[in-house]
Amino acid sequence: MIGKELARFRQLAHSEFGFVLPQDAESFLGSRLRAMIADPAFGSLETLLHAACGNNRKDLMLAIIEKLSTNHSYFYREPAHFDFLTSVALPEIETRLRREGARDLRVWSAAAAAGEEAYSIAMAMRMFFGPHYQDLDAGVLATDIAKNALLQGVKGVYDEDAFRHVPADWRARFVEPAAPGRLRVVKQLRDDVLFR
């Protein structure tokens, strides 16, 4: 029976959330959903998946998807991407904005997890435009299906290790102590990123 429930769950996870699970995902699901399965209301993976696939249980489906999401990232994760952003994309955008007399600069960070990439993009934009950043109506939209990760992003507080790849001048300007072993992005940067 689990095969039928798993197939239906895979189909719903993909159609509703764009989440792709492999055909042989049963052990992965079991390990990620162990706490949910332990709930007496479910008791087994089959019962949990059956409930999630039931009518009007998008809340349960979303809770499961959140448990399956990795949500692991760190700041300045792909340096080559940020080099491209600051040496190619932003100069082209700046030229276009000047030519059109426009001020609006919005960047969407999809699958943003807890916002490390979104904040890194905001840092790159602020560093590139310097004092002229204030002349722009600029910001980053950070979206994800994992609500708990987004709530962490709104707070902007992370383990110190998450900042290990951030250039020193960026770190000095945009990061402040929060607690032992924890750092926070400064309010100015937190205001640049909208989490949804």
Side-chain angles (χ1 to χ4, degrees):
M1 185 68 151
I2 189 68
K4 179 181 174 187
E5 297 302 336
L6 181 56
R8 177 76 177 125
F9 178 77
R10 287 180 69 248
Q11 185 270 325
L12 280 173
H14 185 260
S15 65
E16 294 291 320
F17 302 101
F19 202 94
V20 178
L21 285 168
Q23 292 283 351
D24 57 349
E26 190 173 342
S27 63
F28 169 73
L29 288 172
S31 66
R32 286 289 181 101
L33 303 176
R34 187 171 289 122
M36 293 180 84
I37 294 168
D39 184 325
F42 304 115
S44 72
L45 180 58
E46 181 180 354
T47 305
L48 177 63
L49 295 181
H50 180 75
C53 295
N55 292 335
N56 300 318
R57 290 311 312 261
K58 198 167 187 174
D59 61 326
L60 182 57
M61 178 70 80
L62 183 56
I64 292 171
I65 294 297
E66 281 198 48
K67 294 281 188 197
L68 300 179
S69 299
T70 302
N71 294 323
H72 173 74
S73 191
Y74 50 88
F75 287 81
Y76 205 71
R77 185 172 179 176
E78 298 287 343
H81 295 177
F82 292 99
D83 289 345
F84 178 83
L85 180 64
T86 57
S87 65
V88 177
L90 288 176
E92 288 180 10
I93 291 168
E94 180 181 38
T95 299
R96 188 176 332 131
L97 290 173
R98 283 189 179 154
R99 184 176 57 241
E100 296 172 2
R103 298 179 54 246
D104 194 39
L105 173 58
R106 303 286 170 187
V107 176
W108 178 21
S109 177
E116 295 92 334
E117 179 183 68
Y119 283 128
S120 297
I121 292 168
M123 289 179 196
M125 292 190 324
R126 282 190 170 275
M127 292 302 287
F128 176 80
F129 287 103
H132 299 292
Y133 185 82
Q134 300 306 323
D135 301 334
L136 299 171
D137 184 12
V140 179
L141 173 63
T143 62
D144 202 284
I145 60 172
K147 291 180 183 178
N148 290 332
L150 293 174
L151 291 174
Q152 180 186 348
V154 169
K155 293 175 186 173
V157 178
Y158 305 87
D159 289 336
E160 190 171 356
D161 190 53
F163 295 92
R164 66 190 175 277
H165 296 294
V166 175
D169 54 338
W170 292 25
R171 189 169 168 157
R173 183 170 171 191
F174 300 117
V175 181
E176 62 189 12
R182 307 275 284 164
L183 298 171
R184 173 180 37 241
V185 294
V186 297
K187 184 178 184 325
Q188 181 183 52
L189 204 67
R190 292 195 310 271
D191 290 344
D192 284 346
V193 180
L194 177 65
F195 287 90
R196 291 289 182 264

